[in-house]
Amino acid sequence: MNAVRAEVGKLLTLRSLALTLGLTWAVTLLLDALDPPGGSVLPYGQVGFLILGVLATSHEYQGGGQIRTTLLAMPRRYRLAAAKAVALVVLAAPAALLVAGTAGEPGGTLSLVVDTLVAAGVGLLIRHPVGAAGAVLVAYEIGLPLIRTHWGEVNDWLPLTGVLIFAVASVVFARRDGADGS
């Protein structure tokens, strides 16, 4: 429980996360008012939650190597990865409900939270925010639409995929060194 509290505190103090969430909600509000072609505003909000997930797990590898300090304080890496996931869900769920509600699609809340966990897993694997954000955005904006054209709707298995990606990222995180990835 202390690890989750520490991770939530860490996430709440990151200005980049607050800015990402604020901009995501503002863009959703603006687009909802403009009524874009296609009608759904939620896919635009999804981009913000993908960035949120990447930043939440990759920020510690930047600059001074905060990940080393975190690992000294919490050496059990599986427990740390789980704490990161729980903390991210605690932060992302209310924001996802706000954004999905603003978009007029409150049923999309779970999807946004799962997308955030997928992106967090990729951020944990790649360790560089720009590279991880690029990988996630290409996968979601190009890869998934191509897969949908050939294999139909993939949304049914995305929640399971999100959990699996974060689980794989946790295993990789637990087995590699605490270097900053440079």
Side-chain angles (χ1 to χ4, degrees), residues 88-105:
L88 186 56
V89 168
V90 165
L91 178 72
L97 182 59
L98 176 66
V99 168
T102 300
E105 300 179 49

Side-chain angles (χ1 to χ4, degrees), residues 16-145:
S16 60
L17 296 187
L19 182 62
T20 300
L21 287 174
L23 286 173
T24 300
W25 181 68
V27 166
T28 302
L29 194 62
L30 176 66
L31 288 174
D32 188 53
L34 295 175
D35 194 28
S40 181
V41 175
L42 201 57
Y44 299 102
Q46 178 186 46
V47 171
F49 282 88
L50 294 172
I51 300 300
L52 173 74
V54 165
L55 292 176
T57 54
S58 64
H59 76 277
E60 289 187 289
Y61 291 97
Q62 302 308 301
Q66 181 186 358
I67 190 65
R68 290 183 185 105
T69 305
T70 300
L71 290 171
L72 282 172
M74 183 68 178
R76 294 184 176 165
R77 292 183 184 211
Y78 287 114
R79 187 175 287 174
L80 177 59
K84 286 180 177 299
V86 170
L88 186 56
V89 168
V90 165
L91 178 72
L97 182 59
L98 176 66
V99 168
T102 300
E105 300 179 49
T109 302
L110 178 61
S111 174
L112 291 176
V113 173
V114 169
D115 294 342
T116 306
L117 283 174
V118 169
V122 173
L124 199 57
L125 285 170
I126 295 179
R127 301 192 279 188
H128 291 283
V130 174
V136 167
L137 292 174
V138 165
Y140 269 78
E141 301 302 321
I142 297 172
L144 282 176

